[in-house]
Amino acid sequence: SCVNLAEAFADSASKHGAETAVFWGERKFSYAEIASLSGRIAGALQNRFAIHPGDRVGLWLKNCPEFVPSVFGILQTGAVVVPINNFLKPDEVGYILNDAGIDVLITDAELSVHEATLRGLRGTLKLLHIEEIASLPPTAIVPPSHRAEHDLAILIYTSGTTGHPKGAMLSHANLLHNVASCRQVLEATSYDRFVVMLPLFHSYMMCVGLLLPLLSGGAMILVKSLHPLKNLFHEIFTHRGTILPAIPQFYRGLVHATLPPNCPLRI
């Protein structure tokens, strides 16, 4: 059995290579593609940025397909993923960069307009843009890191509603156990397609929307836009979503929505 998340994903990708891992509108990403992109990112982190096991790498992105290989690419190097709320202001991001000791931040062109401000807050900061991932050299596949199950995997910050945000330290074992218990309770299999509409930087979607489906051989349906609500239903029906993890106020809204017949959702 796998002791870390990088091994667990490599194992899943080797079994489900040709199958779809991520749906994004019309675009589909197979497990093999996600694994290849993860390898490119891991290679860039090691070769260009000298990232070592245990280093913290920030991930400041909206929900997008590149979020997924960024997570596994960081884990592949043995580094720690620090997902950052994409709604935060630059000075709030700066606090997290300094608190976590982050020198490399994976982000996109839109958010990197704040680069100068962030560098002012953390002088050692370097950025890797997701727009360049496809043009990164395909690296010899970086073997999954030899991280032990008690090693830190993801450092996830609270919203900081009382004082400064605090980083919750989640080990590989924490997350693998969470995934295993969710899989058991939801009876999740490789046939399941998880509808992901909430932010992936949050611990809920990170675990239930990303790690659970991809370590179980299932798929993520990354919803491009929730407005109007019929967009969501269109994606659920088009891609045959089976599990919709959301929050109570959303489910309350669904009570009054007229759902088309033969909805594929089971949970």
Side-chain angles (χ1 to χ4, degrees), residues 24-44:
W24 175 247
E26 304 294 300
R27 182 89 167 78
K28 295 176 184 178
F29 293 80
S30 68
Y31 272 88
E33 280 179 272
I34 296 290
S36 166
L37 291 169
S38 303
R40 287 171 192 252
I41 292 166

Side-chain angles (χ1 to χ4, degrees), residues 19 29-30 44 176 190 213 261:
E19 291 158 40
F29 293 80
S30 68
L176 287 168
S190 58

Side-chain angles (χ1 to χ4, degrees), residues 37 40-41 44 48-49 66 105-109 112 115 126-138:
L37 291 169
R40 287 171 192 252
I41 292 166
R48 195 200 305 178
F49 299 103
E66 293 82 5
L105 181 66
I106 299 178
T107 189
D108 63 13
S112 62
E115 183 168 354
K126 300 179 192 76
L127 268 55
L128 173 60
H129 295 105
I130 58 164
E131 287 80 6
E132 34 172 333
I133 293 173
S135 59
L136 290 171

Side-chain angles (χ1 to χ4, degrees), residues 92 95 157-166:
E92 295 170 314
Y95 174 80
Y157 276 77
T158 61
S159 55
T161 41
T162 55
H164 283 301
K166 296 169 186 66

Side-chain angles (χ1 to χ4, degrees), residues 65-201:
E66 293 82 5
F67 195 108
V68 182
S70 296
V71 167
F72 291 119
I74 294 167
L75 292 170
Q76 217 173 325
T77 66
V80 178
V81 182
V82 188
I84 300 173
N85 182 335
N86 59 275
F87 301 111
L88 292 183
K89 298 180 184 71
D91 59 330
E92 295 170 314
V93 175
Y95 174 80
I96 292 174
L97 297 177
N98 284 305
D99 189 65
I102 292 167
D103 293 325
V104 178
L105 181 66
I106 299 178
T107 189
D108 63 13
E110 189 184 329
L111 289 170
S112 62
V113 298
H114 302 295
E115 183 168 354
T117 314
L118 294 177
R119 279 183 205 255
L121 296 164
R122 185 161 180 84
T124 49
L125 188 68
K126 300 179 192 76
L127 268 55
L128 173 60
H129 295 105
I130 58 164
E131 287 80 6
E132 34 172 333
I133 293 173
S135 59
L136 290 171
T139 43
I141 293 296
V142 183
S145 67
H146 299 297
R147 299 303 274 167
E149 53 184 22
H150 56 263
D151 283 327
L152 189 58
I154 296 182
L155 182 58
I156 208 155
Y157 276 77
T158 61
S159 55
T161 41
T162 55
H164 283 301
K166 296 169 186 66
M169 304 171 80
L170 302 177
S171 69
H172 288 273
N174 287 150
L175 290 151
L176 287 168
H177 281 277
N178 263 3
V179 166
S181 58
C182 290
R183 184 185 292 173
Q184 196 175 341
V185 170
L186 299 176
E187 298 178 346
T189 71
S190 58
Y191 295 105
D192 279 307
R193 294 177 173 186
F194 286 71
V195 183
V196 177
M197 54 170 208
L198 298 177
L200 284 166
F201 64 72

